[in-house]
């Protein structure tokens, strides 16, 4: 019986060297793998990367099919830096990635990927949280916005006229006469 074993080794990944880990103050968590992903621009191939930020960590929540990101990232990966610069803001990451790909035709990022069962579970929970919050937040009705704007204007106009008044009142504790408590 013959069989063919195909091993797919990504050529766009390499280990994080000590100097780079130190420069971005990388703290390795148990259950996660850390590596550098090298992205190279190709004509007519878009980046195709959807990202979200939560607690100063940028997480991949979508990759488009046949895009640069599809061959580099998995949903749930965290992107920690771009070209040796620590990044915690979505807009900054997008700008750095696009600028580098346009100017130099390439860039690289440090990626944190869950490997252990617990880390994968935590990543799935976070990924579900990030995708559901984007679609479940209701839009603010126009009349509510108008009411809020009027109240803000009214509050600012009366701000200097009002004085703060305490709401705390001292109440005497109840007297205890054995088994019964009488309120006088």
């Amino acid at each position: 019986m013959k069989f063919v074993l195909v091993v797919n080794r990504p050529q766009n990944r390499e280990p994080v060297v000590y100097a780079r880990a130190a420069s971005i103050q990388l703290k390795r968590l148990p259950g996660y793998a850390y590596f550098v992903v090298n992205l190279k621009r190709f004509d007519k191939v878009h980046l195709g990367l959807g990202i979200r930020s939560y607690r100063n960590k940028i997480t991949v929540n979508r990759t488009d099919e046949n895009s640069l990101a599809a061959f580099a990232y998995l949903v749930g990966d965290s992107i920690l830096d771009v070209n040796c610069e620590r990044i915690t803001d979505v807009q900054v990451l997008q700008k750095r990635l696009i600028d580098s790909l346009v100017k130099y035709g390439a860039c690289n990022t440090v990626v944190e990927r869950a490997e252990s069962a617990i880390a994968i579970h935590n990543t799935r929970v976070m990924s579900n949280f990030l995708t559901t919050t984007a679609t479940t937040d209701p839009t603010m009705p126009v009349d509510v916005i108008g009411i809020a704007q009027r109240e803000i204007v009214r509050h600012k106009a009366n701000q200097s006229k009002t004085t703060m008044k305490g709401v705390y009142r001292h109440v005497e504790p109840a007297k205890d006469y054995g088994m019964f408590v009488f309120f006088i």
Side-chain angles (χ1 to χ4, degrees), residues 97-110:
L97 275 175
I98 293 168
D99 288 350
S100 182
L101 288 170
V102 169
K103 188 173 182 180
Y104 304 111
C107 73
N108 54 53
T109 62
V110 171

Side-chain angles (χ1 to χ4, degrees), residues 34-158:
Y34 296 86
F35 51 90
V36 176
V37 170
N38 298 305
L39 294 174
K40 184 178 178 188
R41 189 180 85 199
F42 293 101
D43 291 336
K44 298 181 182 178
V45 178
H46 66 288
L47 181 58
L49 179 65
I51 52 178
R52 285 282 173 109
S53 177
Y54 182 71
R55 293 187 178 174
N56 290 330
K57 198 175 231 183
I58 298 172
T59 305
V60 175
N61 68 340
R62 177 187 52 79
T63 58
D64 293 345
E65 195 173 323
N66 296 323
S67 65
L68 292 177
F71 298 106
Y73 306 108
L74 297 177
V75 172
D77 284 353
S78 292
I79 301 174
L80 305 177
D81 86 340
V82 175
N83 295 337
C84 299
E85 182 182 346
R86 182 81 173 184
I87 305 287
T88 59
D89 183 62
V90 171
Q91 286 80 19
V92 174
L93 180 107
Q94 288 173 336
K95 183 177 178 357
R96 294 287 191 307
L97 275 175
I98 293 168
D99 288 350
S100 182
L101 288 170
V102 169
K103 188 173 182 180
Y104 304 111
C107 73
N108 54 53
T109 62
V110 171
V111 174
E112 175 185 77
R113 180 173 290 165
E115 283 193 332
S116 72
I118 293 171
I120 291 170
H121 173 73
N122 291 341
T123 301
R124 283 185 183 156
V125 168
M126 184 56 58
S127 175
N128 289 339
F129 170 74
L130 291 175
T131 54
T132 56
T133 55
T135 58
T136 58
D137 287 342
T139 57
M140 186 70 69
V142 177
D143 62 330
V144 173
I145 294 171
I147 292 168
Q149 288 172 340
R150 285 193 309 272
E151 289 299 311
I152 290 169
V153 168
R154 187 179 66 79
H155 176 70
K156 286 183 179 180
N158 295 327

Side-chain angles (χ1 to χ4, degrees), residues 15-18 21 25-35 112:
V16 181
V17 295
Y18 178 77
Q25 300 172 347
L26 178 64
K27 293 179 178 77
R28 295 176 189 262
L29 301 173
Y32 290 86
Y34 296 86
F35 51 90
E112 175 185 77

